[in-house]
Amino acid sequence: MTDTTTSRIHNDEALESTLEELMKVERFEVPEGFRDQANITDPDVYAEANADPEAYWARRARELHWHTPFTTVLDESNPPFYKWFQDGELNVSYNCLDRHVEAGNGARVAYHWLGEEGEERAITYADLHRDVQLLANGLKDQGVQRGDVVGIFLPMIPQVAVAMLACARIGAPHNVVFGGFSPESVAERMEVSEARALITVDGARRKGKVAGIKSEVDRVMGHLASLKTIVVVNHAGVDCAMQEGRDVWYEDLLSSSAPDCPAEALPAEHPLYILYSSGSTAKPKGIQHTTGGYLTGVAATHRDVFDLKPESDVFWCSADVGWVTGHSYIVYGPLANGCTSVMYEGAPDYPHKGIWWEIIQRYGVTKFYTAPTAIRACMKWGVEYPNKYDLSSLRLLGTVGEPINPKAWLWYHAVVGGERCPIVDTWWQTETGHIMISPLAGLVATKPGSATRALPGISAALVDQDGNEITEGTGILVLTRPWPGMLRTLYGDDDRYVSTYFERFGPKTYVVGDAARRDSDGYFWIIGRTDDVINVSGHRLSTAEVESAIVAHEKVAEAAVVPEPDELTGQAIVAFVTLNGTLQGDDVVAEEIRTHVSVRIGKLARPKSIIWADDLPKTRSGKIMRRLLRDMAEGRELGDVTTLRDPDVVEDLRQKTQARKKS
Ligand code: WTA
């Protein structure tokens, strides 16, 4: 290995001094070695796309295979119910599989799958093509027809991709539920989407333990009249009862099905899937995506943002397939582009805390896409884990899901990327379907913590409360032009679709629900959800900004900031703080942190209270549940905690919060 591919960080001391040095860098220019090989280096791409966005998206759509070419691009006659490529017909699974097999790439690996206990499988495009047709025929044999909703409740195993593509092949919209959700949540989602079939598993493995899944599904699903079939993958060797006439083993279905299932030509606006996401009320929103527009958007952004070289890249998105990130960048984007991906069944710290870096070394991962919260966990574990492995195959790193604090960005840049890999901080949502704001790595200089600018063909802006555009400063993030991958509605609830996203500023302005800042270069800095803004003495402060300041303190591993009512200032800041390693919190450290925040942002941002937390309540996807912390700080009853990764964390913090109030 040469110096250009090896991290110079060998221990904590070297790390601290490198980070200190990097903190002074405001802008990271495109690394020269990267620009030389980048797909997109012409700055005119933005102006050209934005001069005629419809022509731009039509061109991108034509990169796919259309059974019937479209003649119209955007129909905006009934806003906000937009339609794209309406008279065209295509099939997502044809685009993800047949196209590559017919081009002679059937032997290319689609997924390097690694199981929790170290099992490996290389699944080629030809393998997927075969299994998807068998399962699609099997589903048809079970009575599933075009338009029927099929639920999918599976762990990170190759069958999850097969299941999604089989549905896409026959035009049955899938409704994937993240494997970590409770069976009750699955039942609720099956009920509201009137699912005709469910594809699930005997049991799931997690950190060396096996949990029965099918038995749990049986417990809660029996009353659903619409559910006629349950297909069960035999994965973990768990015994389960099979109900005659309803339940069928996945393996039996495949072995008894006909091998050929031609992909159906589906109208571009045919729904591809529903994915439930939490909104501002307790009732989840069924985000509905389409066939033509969605695939156009994910294929184009996967190619552009990750500077994809389908023949040579090994792409790894570490999300779970049960979230939109997994739908778009584990399944549909990578497969539409015919590239090789990694799929990992397990947790980042099982069987050991270096497993992610071992995977990168083992498969020669070139592009790695993960979440800031995961990066912060790795920071906490220490540089010794990544340092044990050769990460020199990496050429680009990405983040998604929440604002990344500059310290985590710089750690990722220095320790994982060896200071040579550009980082794409990608902003988007379940609703947008694909990445919207992100650097193009060969073209756009990055600033740690900023997602930079909207991609070509996408129009993002900041507005004030009255809808006036703000070109520099802080405001409400909006998208001012329809885009192909946008949600089309909320399943069965057009009114909620309109009222959630298009009521405030009219049917042409999609309200994102995030606040952002725009700097003098026009770069976007996502502050966070608009409901995560704290108002202290009339000064609006972002929880994310305060958290970032706290986390930048050398003793801090992670922090979550919430408001609590305050007689004097309206709201005051409460910070839940996890310290590094075995450090213990006391008044001295608390004062250090307050001073630190005061220096970085200003006195008004100093947390009034600091509560030491061994861990923070997180969803199974790793997002901090600020809502729960807010409820605690405000002394309210705690709502639903069943979606938490570790519910015990909440009880500990609740006691500490109460003890503080009494004292
Ligand atoms: C947040 C995940 C800052 C944001 C793909 C958004 C981000 C919500 C970023 C959507 C980012 C996502 N920087 N914040 N790069 N990416 N977010 O639907 O608040 O799970 O509205 O989609 O995550 O979350 P969702």
Side-chain angles (χ1 to χ4, degrees):
M1 274 184 283
T2 67
D3 272 355
T4 53
T5 56
T6 314
S7 166
R8 61 183 157 133
I9 294 155
H10 302 293
N11 53 37
D12 290 341
E13 217 166 273
L15 174 67
E16 278 311 316
S17 76
T18 307
L19 292 185
E20 209 169 285
E21 191 186 301
L22 290 172
M23 281 283 186
K24 296 180 198 135
V25 182
E26 230 174 82
R27 268 168 87 89
F28 288 78
E29 299 302 330
V30 176
E32 252 171 54
F34 189 89
R35 182 187 288 119
D36 292 347
Q37 58 78 62
N39 295 341
I40 304 176
T41 50
D42 177 2
D44 289 343
V45 289
Y46 291 98
E48 281 167 15
N50 295 334
D52 190 347
E54 286 183 44
Y56 171 77
W57 285 117
R59 182 167 66 71
R60 301 312 300 258
R62 288 193 188 101
E63 291 169 7
L64 302 174
H65 173 88
W66 291 78
H67 280 74
T68 311
F70 54 89
T71 63
T72 62
V73 180
L74 170 64
D75 172 358
E76 43 187 344
S77 57
N78 183 26
F81 297 94
Y82 298 102
K83 297 188 168 117
W84 286 85
F85 318 120
Q86 209 189 150
D87 60 349
E89 290 183 314
L90 75 167
N91 185 286
V92 167
S93 103
Y94 185 92
N95 274 284
C96 290
L97 304 173
D98 307 50
R99 201 161 54 122
H100 308 311
V101 174
E102 285 165 16
N105 293 323
R108 186 179 293 168
V109 173
Y111 295 110
H112 289 293
W113 179 77
L114 184 67
E116 246 206 11
E117 301 305 329
E119 311 90 329
E120 278 186 287
R121 278 181 63 193
I123 297 117
T124 65
Y125 277 88
D127 293 337
L128 277 182
H129 187 233
R130 180 197 60 228
D131 286 0
V132 165
Q133 293 189 78
L134 290 170
L135 181 60
N137 277 333
L139 289 174
K140 285 203 283 193
D141 292 345
Q142 294 293 316
V144 176
Q145 296 177 359
R146 182 196 285 205
D148 287 343
V149 173
V150 176
I152 298 176
F153 185 50
L154 288 171
M156 289 288 284
I157 53 178
Q159 291 88 336
V160 73
V162 174
M164 291 163 79
L165 292 161
C167 290
R169 198 159 188 93
I170 60 175
H174 56 69
N175 175 3
V176 180
V177 181
F178 170 56
F181 271 121
S182 63
E184 282 78 5
S185 313
V186 185
E188 185 194 349
R189 285 159 167 75
M190 293 306 113
E191 187 166 12
V192 289
S193 66
E194 297 156 288
R196 170 75 180 63
L198 174 68
I199 305 173
T200 189
V201 70
D202 57 343
R205 312 190 293 183
R206 186 79 183 164
K207 297 198 193 190
K209 296 197 185 110
V210 176
I213 299 290
K214 168 67 166 56
S215 53
E216 289 293 293
V217 163
D218 280 343
R219 191 169 57 74
V220 294
M221 219 66 80
H223 66 289
L224 297 186
S226 65
L227 194 71
K228 304 281 190 246
T229 302
I230 299 185
V231 181
V232 188
V233 177
N234 180 5
H235 173 61
V238 177
D239 277 344
C240 41
M242 300 293 279
Q243 187 180 308
E244 185 72 35
R246 185 195 67 178
D247 301 348
V248 52
W249 288 104
Y250 174 95
E251 295 73 16
D252 291 346
L253 201 56
L254 261 62
S255 60
S256 61
S257 296
D260 296 322
C261 178
E264 287 195 34
L266 297 167
E269 284 290 314
H270 188 79
L272 174 65
Y273 68 80
I274 311 163
L275 182 57
Y276 281 86
S277 168
S278 37
S280 48
T281 69
K283 190 171 162 240
K285 302 182 285 193
I287 315 271
Q288 191 171 312
H289 282 292
T290 59
T291 298
Y294 173 79
L295 195 66
T296 298
V298 294
T301 53
H302 180 250
R303 187 172 279 268
D304 294 355
V305 172
F306 299 102
D307 190 49
L308 197 73
K309 313 284 191 290
E311 303 75 28
S312 54
D313 268 332
V314 179
F315 181 78
W316 184 21
C317 166
S318 75
D320 191 283
V321 86
W323 307 110
V324 74
T325 308
H327 281 54
S328 297
Y329 299 107
I330 295 176
V331 180
Y332 292 118
L335 295 180
N337 287 323
C339 87
T340 297
S341 294
V342 168
M343 189 190 276
Y344 176 51
E345 183 189 16
D349 57 352
Y350 185 85
H352 58 83
K353 292 190 172 87
I355 184 67
W356 275 15
W357 321 119
E358 186 185 326
I359 289 173
I360 289 173
Q361 172 181 294
R362 180 178 316 191
Y363 299 111
V365 172
T366 55
K367 312 282 164 70
F368 180 52
Y369 191 32
T370 192
T373 186
I375 298 168
R376 289 194 297 268
C378 295
M379 280 171 77
K380 188 174 156 111
W381 297 334
V383 289
E384 69 263 33
Y385 296 102
N387 276 353
K388 274 191 219 153
Y389 300 93
D390 177 2
L391 306 181
S392 62
S393 58
L394 287 169
R395 289 200 304 112
L396 177 147
L397 304 173
T399 73
V400 58
E402 52 178 323
I404 183 163
N405 50 304
K407 191 174 163 192
W409 195 103
L410 294 171
W411 188 92
Y412 199 29
H413 169 74
V415 176
V416 182
E419 296 176 67
R420 71 184 185 281
C421 299
I423 295 180
V424 290
D425 175 352
T426 65
W427 176 87
W428 58 295
Q429 306 177 296
T430 308
E431 291 89 336
T432 69
H434 54 78
I435 298 167
M436 304 293 279
I437 302 178
S438 163
L440 288 173
L443 200 54
V444 177
T446 53
K447 302 182 193 182
S450 169
T452 76
R453 52 187 298 188
L455 291 176
I458 299 297
S459 175
L462 292 189
V463 295
D464 65 17
Q465 302 288 338
D466 301 318
N468 305 309
E469 183 161 358
I470 296 167
T471 48
E472 198 181 328
T474 303
I476 300 166
L477 182 61
V478 291
L479 301 165
T480 54
R481 201 194 285 139
W483 64 100
M486 70 192 293
L487 79 165
R488 294 303 192 267
T489 191
L490 297 178
Y491 182 80
D493 201 345
D494 286 349
D495 290 346
R496 191 175 178 198
Y497 166 70
V498 177
S499 66
T500 307
Y501 306 106
F502 293 99
E503 204 158 68
R504 188 148 183 204
F505 301 120
K508 297 210 179 250
T509 307
Y510 170 91
V511 180
V512 157
D514 282 351
R517 181 166 68 80
R518 236 179 149 171
D519 69 16
S520 53
D521 288 331
Y523 278 23
F524 290 98
W525 299 71
I526 310 298
I527 295 171
R529 302 296 304 183
T530 37
D531 38 15
D532 280 338
V533 171
I534 305 186
N535 192 328
V536 183
S537 308
H539 299 283
R540 295 183 57 150
L541 286 165
S542 140
T543 52
E545 204 180 346
V546 179
E547 284 166 9
S548 173
I550 297 175
V551 178
H553 188 281
E554 61 187 14
K555 291 183 181 156
V556 175
E558 195 153 46
V561 161
V562 296
E564 73 171 354
D566 186 278
E567 272 180 17
L568 199 61
T569 58
Q571 287 186 323
I573 295 173
V574 184
F576 293 82
V577 175
T578 309
L579 295 177
N580 276 322
T582 54
L583 289 174
Q584 292 296 314
D586 58 22
D587 289 351
V588 177
V589 185
E591 204 39 50
E592 271 180 30
I593 291 174
R594 283 200 190 90
T595 308
H596 184 76
V597 174
S598 169
V599 171
R600 290 187 80 98
I601 305 178
K603 271 191 176 172
L604 76 160
R606 278 181 312 183
K608 188 170 174 208
S609 323
I610 292 180
I611 296 172
W612 306 113
D614 295 333
D615 201 349
L616 293 169
K618 288 185 190 142
T619 63
R620 295 198 180 91
S621 68
K623 269 196 190 141
I624 297 171
M625 293 266 290
R626 288 186 180 70
R627 174 179 62 75
L628 282 179
L629 296 172
R630 252 191 328 259
D631 289 350
M632 271 181 222
E634 297 182 359
R636 277 195 298 267
E637 280 291 316
L638 300 187
D640 180 20
V641 296
T642 55
T643 55
L644 283 180
R645 191 154 67 188
D646 180 1
D648 291 347
V649 168
V650 172
E651 189 43 35
D652 176 49
L653 290 180
R654 204 179 57 81
Q655 284 178 11
K656 283 184 178 155
T657 313
Q658 279 182 349
R660 182 186 58 101
K661 287 215 163 119
K662 284 196 195 108
S663 66

